[in-house]
Amino acid sequence: IEAGQESVSLLDFDLESDLVSLKRKILEDYPDAATRFEMELLLPFKPFKIRTDKAKLNEIIKKLIDNAFKFAESGPVKLKIEFKNDRIYGEIHDAGIGIEPGDCHVIFEPFRKLEKDAGKLYRGNGLGLSLSKAYVELLNGEINVNSRPGKGSVFSFNFPVKVLNPPAKVTI
């Protein structure tokens, strides 16, 4: 990505079907997801066909959800996807350990890990959030985090998409 070799591969697909498939994969990957994982889709109509980079959208969501399960050993992990103003808005909520306000800006840097508890090591190499940020920015979007230590985090992202099947306007 940093070398400028990564590109966007646009694909036409039904967003809800794609996210339902992604949810199945999450339920397979995390044994306790059946009781902890929630998904909320706020789409204006069905099917909701869009054009964007499907692989990058899925990677962004998977990496943020992986992060949520990693740092929230219990409590809910929620994915919310909404479409408004020609953009996809995503939020991943967790009830994990949270992040100090002063550290929120550095967690998107490559190889950055904020393990302050020497007795607890979390898996990973510190690339998930930086890749998520790079993919969101490649899609002309933005990513943010809102977090409180001991309360959890909300990672949010948004980027523009093209809707392929808007409902016909009825005039009377």
Side-chain angles (χ1 to χ4, degrees), residues 19-75:
L19 293 173
V20 167
S21 295
L22 186 60
K23 180 180 180 180
R24 277 195 292 272
K25 178 84 172 106
I26 290 165
L27 293 174
E28 290 172 11
D29 290 349
Y30 301 95
D32 60 345
T35 58
R36 295 181 53 208
F37 183 68
E38 304 170 32
M39 184 169 75
E40 179 182 12
L41 303 179
L42 300 172
L43 305 176
F45 50 86
K46 296 179 185 184
F48 189 71
K49 295 185 180 185
I50 62 171
R51 178 175 295 145
T52 192
D53 192 316
K54 179 179 175 179
K56 286 182 181 56
L57 171 62
N58 286 333
E59 274 303 302
I60 293 162
I61 293 170
K62 282 192 284 190
K63 290 187 181 315
L64 294 174
I65 287 180
D66 180 61
N67 211 54
F69 275 104
K70 185 188 327 181
F71 292 102
E73 294 177 355
S74 62

Side-chain angles (χ1 to χ4, degrees), residues 13 34 40 52 74-75 80 87 97 99 115 122 132 148-149 151 163:
F13 62 98
E40 179 182 12
T52 192
S74 62
K80 177 182 174 184
R87 297 178 83 82
I97 61 174
I99 305 163
E115 295 170 355
Y122 295 96
S132 294
R148 290 185 20 215
K151 301 291 182 185
V163 178

